[in-house]
Amino acid sequence: MAKYTKEDIFQLAKEKNVKFIRLQFTDILGTIKNVEIPVSQLGKALDNKMMFDGSSIEGFVRIEESDMYLFPDLDTWVVFPWTAEKGKVARLICDIYNADGTPFEGDPRNNLKRILKEMEEMGFTNFNLGPEPEFFLFKLDVNGEPTLELNDNGGYFDLAPTDLGENCRRDIVLELEEMGFEIEASHHEVAPGQHEIDFKYADALAACDDIQTFKLVVKTIARKHGLHATFMPKPLFGVSGSGMHCNLSLFRNGENAFYDTSDKVLELSETAYQFIAGIIKHAEGFTAVTNPTVNSYKRLVPGYEAPCYVAWSARNRSPLVRIPSSRGLSTRVEVRSVDPAANPYLAMAVLLKAGLDGIKNKLTPPAAVDRNIYVMDKEEREEAGITDLPPTLAAALDALKKDEVVTAALGGHILEHFLEAKEIEWDMFRTQVHPWEREQYMQMY
């Protein structure tokens, strides 16, 4: 049920002294884009008549078919707390439509809606997501550019004065709460300068909107503290990288479809086991989407708590999939490989499609692995049926192309443009000469 009507939006804009509205959307690579309009054009925007040039957006359309329309989702209305005294700036997240009034298939948000409809056709009413995004805080230099100098030497759950990011993190939480977020916890993470803020789960579409808003708020407030916030998965060698663990659950009419007390081992339903099996089966295929940068694969290595092996467990944190101990409505499947560089709409589309494939085909997951996989050798892993995630972006892209379920989750347009952009990215990295190579080889040869 909708939270806001058009009349509500007009009234709220007047009450809050809103002078500008950002019409936001997300491109294929996960970058937030926006068209900013004065409040005098709000009526036009709410009537879905605001047009923009789609040919200028990465992976959207050719110049011959560039006219596109922004359809605001009224329930995403929010006023940014930090905007100027002369008038506030508000935000509406939009879906992209073609000139003929049909949803644009290259819009990641529309694409997720398409997969959610498939879910509903299978009898489920909700797909919930609880994300756990991590980020690093680095100091800015005198020119306002980010440095590699961290602002603290804290560790897991440390507090001030060791955790000098505490004040910044607290301000981020206050701003998020003012914008309607329900913050469950915030704390220093394992690595120096690394932080995590957890907000309450929501249905997948709203949660993806929240992730994009969260990133914007974190970066904005960090800069006010003279800091640069980055969601780059592995900005520093030798310490843990940043993940975005995704807690997933399916519901039928208010009941958690993953919970079943008749299962005496884990109290998981047959649906939950099938969903896990789908995630395991398609893990290699969806990794290019959930871990979409060259840098992502510097995080997915042994020794830093990031999963690099395809397995599941309810007892340890080394596998790709973990089942947290909460039951009842909180029963969920945690996918631990996802990183915060992922486009959340695409990541949720491929994860949901993978899980649904497990349910449709009544797949059975392999046996749970309750040992620490990091201390197992290759032979032990092979005996346990544990495979590796792709080690590079190039390998992940090859796996994506071979997985019909995951490619279907992206659709033809997004798949084509995603592959094109990522193959260029890999080729740029592959052909670049890196400082490590000069350090190793300049004098030796």
Side-chain angles (χ1 to χ4, degrees):
M1 186 175 168
K3 285 194 301 185
Y4 297 124
T5 64
K6 288 184 186 180
E7 291 70 27
D8 293 333
I9 300 295
F10 282 119
Q11 185 63 33
L12 289 167
K14 186 176 179 181
E15 287 175 3
K16 297 287 187 180
N17 192 31
V18 170
K19 296 298 183 186
F20 289 92
I21 297 97
R22 291 181 184 173
L23 303 177
Q24 285 185 1
F25 58 98
T26 298
D27 72 9
I28 287 173
L29 300 184
T31 305
I32 300 172
K33 303 289 184 180
N34 85 101
V35 175
E36 189 166 273
I37 60 169
V39 72
S40 60
Q41 298 298 304
L42 179 57
K44 182 178 178 182
L46 296 182
D47 287 337
N48 302 327
K49 293 179 180 177
M50 196 58 65
M51 191 165 51
F52 76 103
D53 177 9
S55 66
S56 61
I57 304 299
E58 178 71 45
F60 268 29
V61 290
R62 297 183 297 264
I63 199 163
E64 306 87 49
E65 49 193 33
S66 59
D67 288 347
M68 316 206 81
Y69 286 84
L70 295 165
F71 280 38
D73 182 336
L74 303 192
D75 288 348
T76 65
W77 169 268
V78 70
V79 178
F80 292 124
W82 61 80
T83 45
E85 295 78 20
K86 291 185 179 179
K88 294 282 190 179
V89 176
R91 185 283 317 272
L92 285 163
I93 292 175
C94 302
D95 295 314
I96 310 299
Y97 277 69
N98 298 309
D100 64 2
T102 57
F104 171 48
E105 64 175 1
D107 173 17
R109 197 171 188 268
N110 269 330
N111 184 69
L112 176 55
K113 286 183 174 182
R114 178 175 65 88
I115 308 302
L116 289 169
K117 281 182 184 173
E118 289 185 25
M119 172 202 76
E120 290 167 2
E121 287 166 5
M122 291 175 64
F124 299 103
T125 49
N126 282 88
F127 176 49
N128 286 345
L129 162 63
E132 300 174 12
E134 297 168 343
F135 57 94
F136 277 83
L137 293 174
F138 291 95
K139 291 181 180 178
L140 295 173
D141 66 17
V142 292
N143 298 315
E145 295 297 320
T147 69
L148 287 179
E149 187 181 353
L150 296 165
N151 74 312
D152 70 65
N153 291 305
Y156 202 45
F157 289 123
D158 273 348
L159 66 162
T162 309
D163 172 13
L164 296 177
E166 190 176 274
N167 290 337
C168 175
R169 202 171 64 232
R170 189 180 294 119
D171 283 352
I172 291 168
V173 169
L174 291 172
E175 297 285 353
L176 288 168
E177 287 185 330
E178 194 170 335
M179 293 171 69
F181 278 70
E182 187 174 332
I183 304 299
E184 296 189 330
S186 74
H187 60 86
H188 200 290
E189 258 297 335
V190 174
Q194 188 184 33
H195 304 267
E196 180 179 317
I197 298 173
D198 299 331
F199 43 93
K200 190 176 180 182
Y201 72 88
D203 72 85
L205 191 69
C208 290
D209 292 342
D210 287 345
I211 290 167
Q212 295 297 76
T213 303
F214 175 83
K215 289 179 180 179
L216 184 65
V217 173
V218 168
K219 285 180 172 288
T220 301
I221 303 307
R223 187 158 279 272
K224 289 178 180 289
H225 283 259
L227 300 168
H228 173 72
T230 181
F231 292 92
M232 179 180 178
K234 186 85 169 188
L236 297 172
F237 172 72
V239 298
S240 296
S242 291
M244 186 172 70
H245 300 163
C246 291
N247 293 275
L248 312 175
S249 54
L250 282 170
F251 277 69
R252 281 194 191 93
N253 302 315
E255 296 292 323
N256 191 322
F258 287 172
Y259 179 55
D260 186 353
T261 54
S262 68
D263 174 33
K264 301 306 179 187
V265 182
L266 294 175
E267 293 188 314
L268 294 179
S269 67
E270 186 178 39
T271 297
Y273 286 114
Q274 292 169 348
F275 188 93
I276 293 165
I279 295 289
I280 296 292
K281 178 182 177 182
H282 297 289
E284 292 174 46
F286 65 58
T287 294
V289 180
T290 56
N291 306 86
T293 70
V294 166
N295 181 256
S296 297
Y297 299 84
K298 307 294 176 75
R299 169 180 166 257
L300 298 177
V301 295
Y304 296 100
E305 298 189 12
C308 43
Y309 303 117
V310 182
W312 74 281
S313 176
R315 294 187 183 168
N316 84 83
R317 295 170 185 267
S318 59
L320 171 77
V321 174
R322 185 176 79 94
I323 310 302
S325 59
S326 300
R327 289 296 177 265
L329 291 176
S330 298
T331 309
R332 59 195 187 273
V333 172
E334 180 186 36
V335 181
R336 297 172 59 79
S337 62
V338 188
D339 71 47
N343 180 327
Y345 303 103
L346 297 186
M348 285 310 103
V350 297
L351 290 174
L352 176 57
K353 185 81 169 178
L356 293 178
D357 182 62
I359 296 168
K360 280 180 187 174
N361 292 296
K362 297 181 167 50
L363 300 182
T364 302
V369 178
D370 296 329
R371 288 180 58 196
N372 182 352
I373 302 175
Y374 298 132
V375 301
M376 296 169 69
D377 61 29
K378 189 174 182 181
E379 284 184 5
E380 289 177 304
R381 294 199 303 272
E382 286 176 353
E383 274 182 32
I386 300 169
T387 58
D388 296 359
L389 285 176
T392 65
L393 178 60
L397 292 171
D398 287 342
L400 168 60
K401 292 175 199 172
K402 294 171 186 172
D403 193 313
E404 293 180 2
V405 168
V406 178
T407 54
L410 297 177
H413 184 104
I414 290 176
L415 176 67
E416 177 189 347
H417 291 279
F418 182 84
L419 286 173
E420 180 184 23
K422 291 300 162 181
E423 284 169 348
I424 290 170
E425 181 179 335
W426 173 255
D427 208 47
M428 288 171 65
F429 173 75
R430 183 184 64 81
T431 57
Q432 181 61 261
V433 179
H434 301 276
W436 182 91
E437 297 171 82
R438 285 190 283 269
E439 289 170 13
Q440 294 291 314
Y441 306 135
M442 281 279 281
Q443 293 189 41
M444 185 181 295
Y445 298 104

